[in-house]
Amino acid sequence: MAVQAAETSTVSLGPAAALSCRECGTRFPLGPIFACQECFGPLEVAYDLPSGDPEGLKKQIEAGPDNIWRYAPLLPVPADVADKPNLNPGFTKLVKADRLAAELGVTGGLYVKDDSGNPTHSFKDRVVAIAVEAARAFGFTTLSCSSTGNLAGAVGAAARRAGFRSCVFIPHDLEAGKVVMAAVYGGDLVGIEGNYDDVNRFCSELIGDPLGEGWGFVNVNLRPYYGEGSKTLAYEICEQLGWELPDQLVIPIASGSQLTKIDKGLKELIALGLVEDKPYKIFGAQAEGCSPVSTAFKAGHDVVRPQKPNTIAKSLAIGNPADGPYVLDIARRTGGAVEDVDDEQVVDAIKLLARTEGIFAETAGGVTVGVTKKLIENGQIDPAKSLVVLNTGDGLKTLDAVAPTTGPTATIRPSLDAFREAGLDK
Ligand SMILES: Cc1ncc(COP(=O)(O)O)c(C=O)c1O
Ligand SMILES: [Zn+2]
């Protein structure tokens, strides 16, 4: 691997003990590597987690800051992380969505985990916050990523706050809201003529070239650390439910990293004794125009065949998802499913969530709400059991999706007569 960092030997990232291969279990010292040198399987962080005193750990967490650093004892970050310059994302709202529940016929308790409340308005701030601490530990000076939009903005902002240079890569045809969010922080933003999978391929080449030396790609050579940020969604959801596991969760899928790490987080909470061990079901959500994982799930395949994306849900438009096979495993193991909805259903679901709960989701949130509705209708989600649906981004970034069918009820002269004539006085 060509990427070398200034210091890789004696890094200390809190409870992180090593990197471990997901396929063969071989362990490697903590460093900016992402693939097993024995079998090329993906690496993930292995921990020496605190054990023996769940109540003490709960109290420690509850006394922590109102952001993801309250879970620092369970993350690959230094113990004094909260004192370092970082965007400090997390602890977003878990909204009890009673009106949406009534529309969908859910009686077991429906919650929306609304991650649009993060600093750059998507869940990506969580994963980037962890990657920043790894980049600091490994001595990188430039932060980079391949992005479907939200990640580019999250890296741009976090780099500024933490004092890194940034250069991020996106498909050239993203929504204006995503491009502006990625550019406004002043780092370099490069549009690549191609789709996300082309951008990702380009970044893999750059990483192996002297041109990319000293660069921390948050979702490539820092991916094992980056992925851990998504565990905080699992921790928060359970803590906000009063240290209880939800029965069912609906999670969007692009690369599949978020879904696999939420499952990892839930399993850790059980192992630590922070929640009672009971079954939960994980459901994955995709847009029909980019549904490689749901297609494989429904066909009963273990292998995910790549697709060429064509959907308004651009944040989820990854045709060749790195964690696709692991998502299939999790959905099958937990008794969940992976489903998809078309673009019209995505728009309808964005409006449904806005109309019922006052939450304006980006297209990825339209995908999860749309898939939730479909899975309730076809009987795969049990409406009598508790259900958490993720909204991972802010509707202001994907205005184009709803603008053609959303606007003023009327445009009138500034007179009471005109208002009366418009019939809006009731
Ligand atoms: C808003 C939003 N939700 C969900 C995802 C899915 O993330 P993952 O690649 O971890 O599956 C993305 C990825 O870009 C995203 O931008
Ligand atoms: Zn291996």
Side-chain angles (χ1 to χ4, degrees), residues 159-203:
R160 284 298 121 156
R161 174 67 62 88
F164 290 81
R165 178 195 170 224
S166 68
C167 181
V168 298
F169 300 92
I170 56 172
H172 66 108
D173 60 350
L174 290 185
E175 306 93 332
K178 301 266 173 63
V179 176
V180 171
M181 281 291 284
V184 73
Y185 305 104
D188 290 313
L189 169 69
V190 180
I192 298 281
E193 292 165 2
N195 61 28
Y196 173 81
D197 298 292
D198 298 313
V199 178
N200 205 32
R201 235 183 341 266
F202 167 81
C203 286

Side-chain angles (χ1 to χ4, degrees), residues 140-379:
F140 289 124
T141 49
T142 296
L143 279 188
S144 185
C145 66
S146 53
S147 171
T148 56
N150 284 311
L151 183 59
V155 168
R160 284 298 121 156
R161 174 67 62 88
F164 290 81
R165 178 195 170 224
S166 68
C167 181
V168 298
F169 300 92
I170 56 172
H172 66 108
D173 60 350
L174 290 185
E175 306 93 332
K178 301 266 173 63
V179 176
V180 171
M181 281 291 284
V184 73
Y185 305 104
D188 290 313
L189 169 69
V190 180
I192 298 281
E193 292 165 2
N195 61 28
Y196 173 81
D197 298 292
D198 298 313
V199 178
N200 205 32
R201 235 183 341 266
F202 167 81
C203 286
S204 300
E205 275 181 43
L206 182 53
I207 230 170
D209 189 276
L211 278 171
E213 223 157 87
W215 287 33
F217 286 77
V218 300
N219 56 340
V220 189
N221 57 347
L222 298 174
R223 190 173 181 85
Y225 310 93
Y226 156 99
E228 296 296 291
S230 289
K231 293 192 312 182
T232 61
L233 276 160
Y235 301 155
E236 285 178 21
I237 288 167
C238 291
E239 185 181 349
Q240 289 168 322
L241 289 174
W243 295 108
E244 283 254 1
L245 286 171
D247 296 316
Q248 308 168 100
L249 298 103
V250 184
I251 303 169
I253 302 165
S255 73
S257 167
Q258 183 190 38
L259 186 147
T260 62
K261 299 304 177 183
I262 289 176
D263 179 59
K264 188 179 185 207
L266 296 175
K267 287 197 290 193
E268 285 175 0
L269 292 183
I270 294 170
L272 288 163
L274 293 182
V275 295
E276 191 192 330
D277 187 0
K278 61 166 196 164
Y280 58 84
K281 292 187 178 184
I282 291 194
F283 297 88
Q286 296 209 289
E288 187 184 291
C290 182
S291 52
V293 189
S294 76
T295 302
F297 182 86
K298 289 189 253 185
H301 295 161
D302 295 332
V303 176
V304 174
R305 192 179 301 162
Q307 289 182 2
K308 203 165 182 165
N310 179 17
T311 168
I312 57 166
K314 294 187 181 190
S315 57
L316 302 183
I318 296 186
N320 189 10
D323 289 304
Y326 299 113
V327 169
L328 291 173
D329 283 350
I330 291 167
R332 289 181 178 135
R333 171 173 53 76
T334 64
V338 187
E339 189 46 277
D340 55 84
V341 281
D342 66 29
D343 285 355
E344 205 179 315
Q345 290 169 311
V346 172
V347 173
D348 286 349
I350 292 174
K351 291 183 177 175
L352 172 64
L353 181 61
R355 169 164 68 72
T356 52
E357 298 298 339
I359 296 172
F360 184 21
E362 80 135 84
T363 44
V367 168
T368 50
V369 173
V371 162
T372 301
K373 184 166 184 286
K374 193 166 174 180
L375 289 170
I376 292 169
E377 284 165 1
N378 69 20

